[in-house]
């Protein structure tokens, strides 16, 4: 007999869901992204925040329709399986595991980096963590793990309190920096590459979209919301708008406050090491503000890391429930309503990302995480549009008007974000994901005839996604975002035009490649609610 099955507890309010999103969005991004964005886009860096937020809202409102109709833990991983079958479900789950499991590690790395300014024993001279630094990072991960392990109610209330605190320091920083505002800074050039090209690069690689990716928490915690049909769409939009106001003001304040002496070589030469806002405060003679920022550098990333520790577990749970991972990770603790086996694996994966041999600089890794995460988001618009065709009678508490237009626009935006991440990032992510497809194929070869037949059939529903990834890979190699030392064959802006045209083709190919009837798994034991299933739930192909 297996262990007793529990169910998720519906205890999260609209405020909790919104603060889950804001708490994820306002993490290490506010501490680093403004400097990296201005280095790439100069005084136009504020425009990159608007573009990033617009793209994320597009993706978010499309997901809101599916999430309100089918609230599921780890919904981003499960919806593609429902609409397009096992191949697409596996690929999205694999990419999600790569992207999602790393974020808690990124956040504790940010905490350790800022803390090393006053606790020098945490970091070597070249920026790598010492043995003590690794221990501190792991201790923070264990703390996140314990907060998440007790119950979703404890987790939700702790997050709401921490997120409330996280607002204060960025707002204080904005007010103080605006007192040192120099409008002439906005006429300074010298960004790399600068202009609109630099703006697009900043969107993907400076931490801008990375910051906004936290909007997904309202979807991933949908099975634990008190009123998911009403609150998920509202929480998504509210979280992005609140965070955009903060980040936009931070960017403008940063651009206006950098001293003239630091701008002698242009924006690309501005370097405040590992603590941009704290070092800027010191350069302006405000040591007290630097101290406050250093304190918040522990609180903000820790709050985000805590949320992603929990969200990653829901994603792994969803992958297991889809049948593409060991079934033990699809179990929910009966007493607490927490997917505890998935929590343990999340702790291990997050710890691996913090090891020196695995970790890169913050600015380098966020580009990879952004691209990997958006690789899991781009399927949402396709799933939403195809679900309108294959399951028109599904009850949709939130019905997006003009879905066909908005979902196409969201797919184009997601495709551009992946492309702008560049060759050096995409080649590894696409290679790993497509390699995972081969693993899936061979894993099913020893199964029974009916399973082999099902997989073979559903591959036809997912081949478009394989070709899509190959298209992005080729464009990354020949376009204007190839990286240093590589030849550009299609320059800006024609490379982006080709990518947009390709995105339109793949969108319609993907929508028309959906299963004839969506297979929506009805799982009342874990996700209580009156959600109709179109077919029986898929069996677990890695049963333990």
């Amino acid at each position: 007999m297996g262990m007793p099955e529990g169910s998720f507890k519906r205890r999260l309010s609209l405020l909790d869901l919104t603060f889950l999103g804001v708490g994820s969005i306002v993490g290490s991004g506010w501490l680093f992204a403004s400097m990296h964005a201005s280095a790439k886009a100069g005084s136009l860096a504020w425009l990159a925040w608007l573009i990033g937020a617009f793209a994320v809202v597009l993706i978010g409102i499309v997901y809101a329709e599916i999430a309100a109709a089918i609230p599921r833990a780890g919904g981003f991983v499960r919806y593609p399986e429902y609409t397009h079958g096992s191949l697409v479900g596996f690929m999205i789950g694999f990419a999600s595991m790569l992207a999602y499991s790393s974020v808690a590690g990124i956040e504790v790395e940010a905490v350790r980096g800022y803390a090393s300014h006053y606790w020098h024993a945490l970091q070597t001279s070249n920026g790598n963590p010492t043995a003590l630094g690794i221990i501190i990072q792991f201790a923070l991960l264990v703390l996140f793990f314990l907060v998440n392990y007790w119950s979703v109610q404890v987790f939700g209330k702790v997050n709401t309190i921490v997120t409330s605190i996280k607002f204060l320091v960025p707002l204080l920083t904005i007010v103080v920096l605006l007192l040192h505002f120099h409008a002439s800074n906005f006429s300074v050039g010298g960004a790399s590459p600068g202009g609109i090209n630099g703006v697009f690069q900043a969107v993907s690689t400076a931490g801008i979209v990375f910051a906004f990716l936290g909007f997904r928490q309202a979807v991933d915690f949908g099975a634990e919301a008190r009123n998911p049909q009403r609150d998920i769409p509202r929480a998504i939009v509210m979280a992005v708008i609140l965070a955009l106001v903060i980040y936009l003001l931070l960017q403008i304040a940063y651009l206006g406050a950098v001293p003239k002496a630091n701008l002698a070589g242009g924006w690309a030469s501005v370097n405040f090491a590992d603590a941009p806002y704290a070092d800027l405060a010191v350069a302006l003679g405000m040591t007290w503000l630097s101290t406050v920022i250093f304190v918040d550098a522990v609180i903000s990333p820790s709050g985000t890391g805590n949320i992603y520790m929990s969200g990653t577990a829901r994603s792994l749970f969803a992958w297991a429930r889809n049948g593409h991972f060991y079934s033990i990770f699809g179990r929910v603790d009966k007493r607490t309503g927490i997917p505890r086996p998935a929590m343990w694996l999340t702790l291990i994966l997050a710890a691996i990302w913090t090891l020196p041999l695995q970790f890169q600089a913050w600015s380098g890794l966020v580009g990879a995480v952004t691209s990997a995460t958006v690789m899991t988001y781009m399927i949402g618009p396709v799933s939403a549009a195809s679900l309108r065709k294959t399951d028109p009678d599904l009850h949709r508490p939130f019905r997006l008007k003009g879905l066909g237009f908005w979902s196409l626009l969201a797919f184009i935006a997601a495709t551009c974000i992946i492309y702008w991440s560049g060759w050096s990032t995409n080649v590894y992510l696409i290679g790993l994901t497509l390699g995972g497809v081969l693993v899936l194929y061979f894993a099913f070869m020893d199964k029974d005839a009916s399973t082999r037949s099902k997989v073979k059939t559903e591959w036809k529903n997912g081949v478009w996604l394989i070709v899509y990834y190959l298209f992005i890979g080729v464009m990354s190699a020949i376009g204007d975002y190839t990286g240093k030392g590589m030849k550009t064959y299609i320059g800006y802006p024609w490379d982006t035009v080709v990518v947009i045209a390709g995105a339109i083709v793949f969108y319609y190919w993907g929508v028309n490649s959906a299963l004839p009837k969506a297979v929506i798994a009805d799982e009342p034991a874990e996700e209580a609610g009156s959600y109709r299933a179109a077919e029986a739930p898929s069996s677990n192909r890695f049963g333990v």
Side-chain angles (χ1 to χ4, degrees):
M1 293 180 62
M3 69 175 63
E5 284 291 340
S7 61
F8 287 112
K9 312 300 184 185
R10 291 188 175 277
R11 294 174 175 170
L12 299 178
S13 65
L14 173 61
L15 181 63
D16 291 332
L17 290 173
T18 302
F19 272 32
L20 278 170
V22 176
S24 294
I25 293 171
V26 184
S28 60
W30 96 262
L31 296 166
F32 295 99
S34 291
M35 183 184 74
H36 293 298
S38 61
K40 294 179 181 297
S43 58
L44 290 177
W46 60 271
L47 181 58
W49 287 101
L50 290 176
I51 294 173
F54 178 68
V56 169
V57 166
L58 281 176
I59 297 169
I61 60 174
V62 171
Y63 267 106
E65 176 172 301
I66 311 178
I70 318 168
R72 288 290 187 268
F76 282 86
V77 177
R78 307 185 80 176
Y79 304 140
E81 175 89 9
Y82 295 164
T83 60
H84 286 77
S86 58
L87 173 61
V88 173
F90 181 88
M91 293 175 69
I92 297 302
F94 188 86
S96 182
M97 182 179 69
L98 289 176
Y100 223 31
S101 64
S102 65
V103 178
I106 292 177
E107 299 303 327
V108 298
E109 171 78 6
V111 173
R112 193 265 309 153
Y114 258 80
S116 66
H117 282 258
Y118 50 84
W119 192 357
H120 302 302
L122 299 181
Q123 184 171 294
T124 64
S125 58
N126 61 3
N128 289 327
T130 61
L132 178 60
I134 293 174
I135 291 172
I136 293 298
Q137 290 175 174
F138 183 69
L140 280 172
L141 291 175
V142 171
L143 177 61
F144 303 160
F145 171 82
L146 292 176
V147 170
N148 284 280
Y149 201 72
W150 302 132
S151 76
V152 70
Q153 189 171 23
V154 171
F155 162 74
K157 297 312 173 188
V158 167
N159 176 71
T160 299
I161 294 170
V162 171
T163 303
S164 299
I165 297 173
K166 286 168 65 172
F167 273 115
L168 299 178
V169 176
L171 292 176
L172 174 65
T173 303
I174 290 167
V175 171
V176 174
L177 291 185
L178 286 177
L179 297 176
H180 295 77
F181 188 83
H182 302 287
S184 58
N185 283 6
F186 285 79
S187 62
V188 175
S192 180
I196 295 299
N197 201 0
V199 169
F200 290 154
Q201 283 197 10
V203 169
S204 289
T205 62
I208 291 175
V209 168
F210 169 77
F212 285 122
L213 294 180
F215 86 89
R216 70 175 285 167
Q217 304 301 340
V219 176
D220 280 341
F221 284 84
E224 293 149 278
R226 290 177 187 168
N227 190 340
Q229 292 85 355
R230 182 197 67 185
D231 292 345
I232 290 175
R234 294 180 181 182
I236 290 172
V237 175
M238 288 169 61
V240 174
I241 291 176
L242 283 172
L244 172 62
V245 172
I246 293 173
Y247 276 121
L248 197 58
L249 290 174
L250 279 167
Q251 183 69 71
I252 292 172
Y254 176 88
L255 289 168
V258 173
K260 291 290 185 183
N262 294 84
L263 290 171
W267 287 105
S269 67
V270 177
N271 183 12
F272 288 117
D274 295 322
Y277 278 105
D279 289 347
L280 175 58
V282 171
L284 295 173
M286 295 181 293
T287 306
W288 66 269
L289 179 60
S290 176
T291 302
V292 172
I293 292 172
F294 274 121
V295 172
D296 186 73
V298 174
I299 296 174
S300 286
S302 293
T304 300
N306 181 44
I307 296 171
Y308 271 94
M309 177 70 73
S310 190
T312 303
R314 271 72 178 173
S315 180
L316 293 172
F317 166 89
W319 205 28
R321 280 293 172 182
N322 280 348
H324 304 314
F325 206 39
Y326 295 102
S327 60
I328 188 173
F329 300 114
R331 294 174 178 170
V332 178
D333 180 70
K334 188 174 183 179
R335 183 179 63 84
T336 63
I338 299 294
R340 283 186 165 180
M343 282 297 312
W344 280 104
L345 180 59
T346 298
L347 175 63
I348 294 170
L349 291 172
I352 291 173
W353 278 102
T354 66
L355 297 178
L357 293 178
Q358 298 289 331
F359 217 91
Q360 308 172 38
W362 186 91
S363 59
L365 191 58
V366 294
V369 174
T370 297
S371 186
T373 307
V374 177
M375 282 172 64
T376 70
Y377 287 179
M378 44 68 57
I379 189 67
V382 174
S383 291
S386 63
L387 199 59
R388 282 279 187 98
K389 294 176 61 178
T390 62
D391 202 346
D393 298 326
L394 178 69
H395 176 57
R396 292 173 171 85
F398 170 72
R399 190 177 183 90
L400 180 62
K401 294 182 179 179
L403 176 74
F405 172 77
W406 295 116
S407 58
L408 173 60
L409 207 58
F411 186 83
I412 292 172
T415 301
C416 288
I417 290 169
I418 298 170
Y419 170 65
W420 294 334
S421 294
W423 165 257
S424 60
T425 292
N426 291 332
V427 63
Y428 294 111
L429 296 176
I430 292 172
L432 282 170
T433 302
L434 294 181
V437 174
L438 295 178
V439 173
L440 171 68
Y441 180 80
F442 287 111
F444 284 124
M445 286 305 96
D446 63 345
K447 300 296 180 180
D448 58 86
S450 62
T451 302
R452 288 198 300 270
S453 176
K454 181 177 185 294
V455 171
K456 185 178 180 180
T457 300
E458 291 181 353
W459 271 59
K460 297 176 182 178
N461 304 104
V463 68
W464 70 274
L465 186 57
I466 296 177
V467 181
Y468 170 82
Y469 284 158
L470 291 174
F471 167 73
I472 294 295
V474 170
M475 286 304 301
S476 297
I478 66 176
D480 206 28
Y481 297 83
T482 55
K484 294 180 179 179
M486 295 184 65
K487 186 176 180 180
T488 296
Y489 292 92
I490 304 178
Y492 172 83
W494 296 111
D495 58 335
T496 299
V497 171
V498 172
V499 168
I500 291 173
I504 295 172
V505 171
F506 282 106
Y507 170 80
Y508 286 108
W509 185 3
V511 170
N512 290 295
S513 294
L515 296 170
K517 187 70 173 176
V519 182
I520 304 174
D522 188 22
E523 297 170 325
E526 288 78 31
E527 294 149 291
S530 55
Y531 312 116
R532 178 186 56 74
E535 299 287 346
S538 57
S539 60
N540 194 299
R541 295 141 193 160
F542 286 90
V544 174

